[in-house]
């Protein structure tokens, strides 16, 4: 199952969880998941990358963030969700007219080849975004829950 987002202005994103980074498990990477990003922005070639970008437990936190992103107060700092690895993150950004957009950031090993040089601050300069009214937070949360069921946290065999 994939998470697919498309914006009327031409941005698209597909996230697939390929599997555990090390299917047999190791001490330091037992629960890291390989994520395939497929990204399209107008005027650029589609870009695909596979990278270990999040752990199994982070999927549940991401599901909760997706469930609540429509009700986040935009008066404070830019609300976002960041994983332990900086490759992928999500944020909500205000736009004119009191609307908001979901922005998906790519950084570190997951920066696309067309991205401008990395900027300063907490968020990457490589991103795609989607008007909040064009995404379904409940479906996004369902995807994260279903993927967590497919790839649950694994306990070390030596416990």
């Amino acid at each position: 199952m994939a998470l697919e987002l498309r914006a009327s202005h031409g941005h698209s994103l597909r996230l697939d969880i390929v599997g555990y980074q090390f299917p047999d498990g190791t001490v330091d990477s037992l629960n890291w998941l390989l994520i395939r990003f497929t990204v399209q922005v107008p005027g650029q070639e589609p870009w695909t990358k596979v990278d270990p970008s999040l752990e199994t437990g982070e999927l549940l936190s991401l599901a909760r963030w997706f469930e609540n992103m429509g009700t986040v107060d935009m008066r404070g700092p830019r609300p976002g969700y960041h994983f332990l690895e900086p490759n992928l993150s999500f944020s909500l950004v205000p736009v004119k007219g009191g609307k908001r957009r979901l922005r998906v950031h790519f950084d570190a090993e997951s920066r696309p080849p067309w991205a401008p040089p990395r900027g300063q601050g907490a968020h990457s300069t490589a991103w795609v975004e989607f008007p909040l009214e064009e995404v379904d937070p409940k479906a996004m949360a369902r995807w994260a829950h279903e993927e967590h069921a497919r790839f649950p946290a694994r306990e070390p065999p030596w416990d």
Side-chain angles (χ1 to χ4, degrees), residues 32 39 44 54 72 83 103 112 116:
W32 283 100
V39 179
Q44 300 294 336
L54 65 128
V72 171
F83 302 107
R103 189 173 284 176

Side-chain angles (χ1 to χ4, degrees), residues 40-117:
Q40 176 67 56
V41 298
Q44 300 294 336
E45 290 293 318
W47 168 72
T48 299
K49 171 82 175 179
V50 176
D51 204 74
S53 300
L54 65 128
E55 290 187 299
T56 56
E58 291 176 313
L59 276 171
L60 292 179
S61 297
L62 180 62
R64 286 189 293 278
W65 191 83
F66 284 154
E67 289 166 347
N68 294 314
M69 74 179 179
T71 60
V72 171
D73 183 356
M74 293 298 290
R75 292 175 292 199
R78 183 185 328 175
Y81 189 82
H82 308 274
F83 302 107
L84 182 60
E85 287 291 324
N87 301 8
L88 176 69
S89 63
F90 296 84
S91 68
L92 293 176
V93 294
V95 292
K96 291 181 182 178
K99 296 186 178 194
R100 297 181 283 183
R101 291 190 177 193
L102 170 66
R103 189 173 284 176
V104 183
H105 306 263
F106 307 96
D107 209 347
E109 299 88 359
S110 295
R111 286 182 65 74
W114 42 260

